[in-house]
Amino acid sequence: MKVISLNCNGIRSSISKGLFDYIRHENPDIICFQETKAPESEIRHEEWNRLGFRYIYTCLAEKPGYSGTAVVSKQEAKSFESGFGGGIFKSEGRSIFLEFSNFTLWNLYFPSGTSGDERQKIKYKFLDAFLKLVVPFAKKKKPLIICGDVNIAHTEKDIHNPKGNIKNSGFLPEERAWMDKFLSQGFADCFRTFYPDLKDVYSWWTYRFQARKNNKGWRIDYFFIQTKQIDKIEEMYISNEPVLSDHAPVVLSLQIT
């Protein structure tokens, strides 16, 4: 099974930049989008059926044109919860939780704190709420795949200028300590499972200062799975081409029976 996660920074924008051609090339089974920024009518594009996707699940923000998540799948989920966890998970369209027969999938768009102290406080509340919700799944037998834009670069290997960003949201010591705590509860960063020491591989670049051209990026988009399920991972990579957004698609292949 192949799953793609992409913060598309506007799904209409990504479509205009060649999203469907990229999907044809990768041929995934499931695609998880963050920051769709579109009404449901525009997410339900007719091209999905031509590509073999029959099921579309959305979680839209109350504020039009803001945030939003979606999952496009070739197989139908047994159950679906838009805004799993309530509160900001729902009101800002940040969470889709799907249960399939042999695995569960949680697509998330974590808040950013870059706009100021108030949003940073909201980010910390989100982190705490997510941790309480996710811990019980670590002990379950059914694999849980977690993906999305976490808006945190975990280690110095995950950011181009660690010293220069130590006081910036997304690389704050408190955020990185939270990531340590989350992983210690029985979860693994799928990318680091495959590439424990790899540097200079990122998933997001600012549009300013020719950051992408110069590879001055951050790895803030993730796949996680329970530590006891890591043997199911077959392949994990970040697609730098084509450029569909300020984020790159993150791709996970795994064997689930």
Side-chain angles (χ1 to χ4, degrees), residues 66-116:
Y66 173 73
S67 189
T69 47
V71 176
V72 181
S73 176
K74 291 179 178 177
Q75 60 176 303
E76 185 177 12
K78 290 174 60 180
S79 65
F80 154 59
E81 187 164 347
S82 174
F84 183 70
I88 188 175
F89 292 84
K90 189 172 184 68
S91 64
E92 294 192 355
R94 295 184 177 275
S95 168
I96 296 177
F97 189 88
L98 298 163
E99 182 177 4
F100 295 87
S101 59
N102 53 353
F103 69 98
T104 50
L105 174 68
W106 197 355
N107 177 30
L108 291 145
Y109 176 36
F110 286 58
S112 169
T114 56
S115 61

Side-chain angles (χ1 to χ4, degrees), residues 55-70:
Y55 306 99
I56 300 173
Y57 305 93
T58 62
C59 183
L60 306 181
E62 293 174 359
K63 179 182 176 181
Y66 173 73
S67 189
T69 47

